[in-house]
Amino acid sequence: PEDQSTLPNLKKADHMNAMWKGTPTTEPINLTLKHRLSMVTVTYTLAEEFESTVEITPEVYSYTQYLLFDIHTLERKDVTWEEGHEIWVKAYKHDENQFTAIVSPDAYSAGDEFIRITADGKQQIAKMPEAITFDEGTHYTFDLTIGKTAAELTSVSVQPWTDGGAIDG
């Protein structure tokens, strides 16, 4: 969903699925759910020229607004890309200078627009610092510096999204 600005909306954006094949049984079936999207968390720092009470509105760019999966294999189907299916996702703001969004697992080139921040009434774009391909079920963390005239992503780290599906506030 485009609006992930609240914790319930962020949790709704987490798409997981699992599959079981076998002989029908009345016994319990254990399924392992798999995250199918990518989670992005950004820790931001406001430049000194801002007042400490500045309100920001963060958005994260996602190339694909929808994904399709084969019902028999759960593999991602290739979706014919059409203009207008990319989306700016309204991110969920945490209490501690962080925001999180769930986006499609796609490739970004160095210099691609990735974060859009409105701070102090001015909109700024932070570009991807390096080429990266987001994988399904992976959590990406970035550092962002927000100045009066520019916003810059300075680092990225990658780790598996292994929390069993929980997204905490």
Side-chain angles (χ1 to χ4, degrees), residues 6-74:
T6 65
L7 190 55
N9 286 359
L10 178 66
K11 289 179 178 185
K12 286 180 194 175
D14 183 15
H15 181 79
M16 299 176 75
N17 58 22
M19 177 190 290
W20 177 82
K21 290 182 180 181
T23 306
T25 179
T26 58
E27 297 298 315
I29 298 170
N30 291 323
L31 296 174
T32 301
L33 291 168
K34 178 181 176 183
H35 289 283
R36 301 311 303 256
L37 301 175
S38 303
M39 183 164 45
V40 172
T41 299
V42 177
T43 301
Y44 63 91
T45 304
L46 292 169
E48 291 179 9
E49 62 258 26
F50 284 114
E51 294 182 26
S52 61
T53 58
V54 138
E55 191 65 29
I56 71 156
T57 303
E59 296 173 286
V60 179
Y61 191 75
S62 181
Y63 275 113
T64 307
Q65 189 173 8
Y66 65 93
L67 300 173
L68 300 175
F69 298 94
D70 185 290
I71 194 166
H72 302 292
T73 65
L74 296 185

Side-chain angles (χ1 to χ4, degrees), residues 94-109:
H94 302 265
D95 292 334
E96 61 281 337
N97 283 14
Q98 284 188 328
F99 56 88
T100 298
I102 296 173
V103 298
S104 60
D106 286 305
Y108 293 82
S109 297

